[in-house]
Amino acid sequence: GGGDDGGGDDADQLTFLPHGIVLTGDVEFHKFVYYKVSIGAGDAGSALSLSSITISGDVDIYVSETWETKPYLDPATNEIKSFVYSSAHQGSSFDEIVNVPNLHPDVHPYYIVAVFGNFAAPAADCTDDNIFP
């Protein structure tokens, strides 16, 4: 898979999610894989839709406006913090976030998309996901 395991601090190193293209990847249990998707000034007024289909286990999608405010797992509370949109609690192998508005196109040329390994299937160490921006 693409993305970043969260160990780095540079959004420039993240994999872009191309609009209309399916990406396949893996994410470990209680880990994030980060991507970015462009929402440049020319896209003002448009909306973004994201979805994932898991082969095994369960993933959730989180969206933040910047790398500095990217979603993370708070070890003290075991909760995901710092996001503006989430597919959490949909409880199936298909998660989606529909019509994410472009809130600040002149300030943020892209959003951070974080795929979180929420549940590992028995006898599996990771989940597979397809991203549909």
Side-chain angles (χ1 to χ4, degrees), residues 3-14 32 34 67-68 70-71:
D4 179 67
D5 64 6
D9 59 356
D10 190 354
D12 292 334
Q13 302 301 316
L14 297 180
F32 281 100
Y34 295 95
W67 177 248
E68 293 74 23
K70 68 185 176 289

Side-chain angles (χ1 to χ4, degrees), residues 2-123:
D4 179 67
D5 64 6
D9 59 356
D10 190 354
D12 292 334
Q13 302 301 316
L14 297 180
T15 299
F16 262 108
L17 289 178
H19 292 263
I21 305 295
V22 175
L23 293 182
T24 301
D26 300 321
V27 61
E28 296 179 36
F29 175 65
H30 273 202
K31 300 286 185 183
F32 281 100
V33 176
Y34 295 95
Y35 300 90
K36 63 183 174 181
V37 60
S38 66
I39 54 158
D43 298 329
S46 65
L48 174 70
S49 295
L50 302 161
S51 63
S52 70
I53 298 172
T54 56
I55 305 300
S56 63
D58 180 35
V59 299
D60 292 322
I61 306 168
Y62 293 88
V63 176
S64 67
E65 292 183 293
T66 68
W67 177 248
E68 293 74 23
T69 61
K70 68 185 176 289
Y72 66 94
L73 179 64
D74 183 344
T77 62
N78 205 33
E79 295 178 356
I80 307 300
K81 306 284 182 148
S82 187
F83 59 90
V84 292
Y85 299 99
S86 164
S87 73
H89 310 298
Q90 292 188 6
S92 71
S93 62
F94 178 76
D95 281 64
E96 67 180 342
I97 301 175
V98 179
N99 296 326
V100 175
N102 188 350
L103 299 175
H104 307 286
D106 295 324
V107 178
H108 305 298
Y110 57 83
Y111 278 163
I112 300 299
V113 176
V115 179
F116 180 71
N118 190 40
F119 172 74

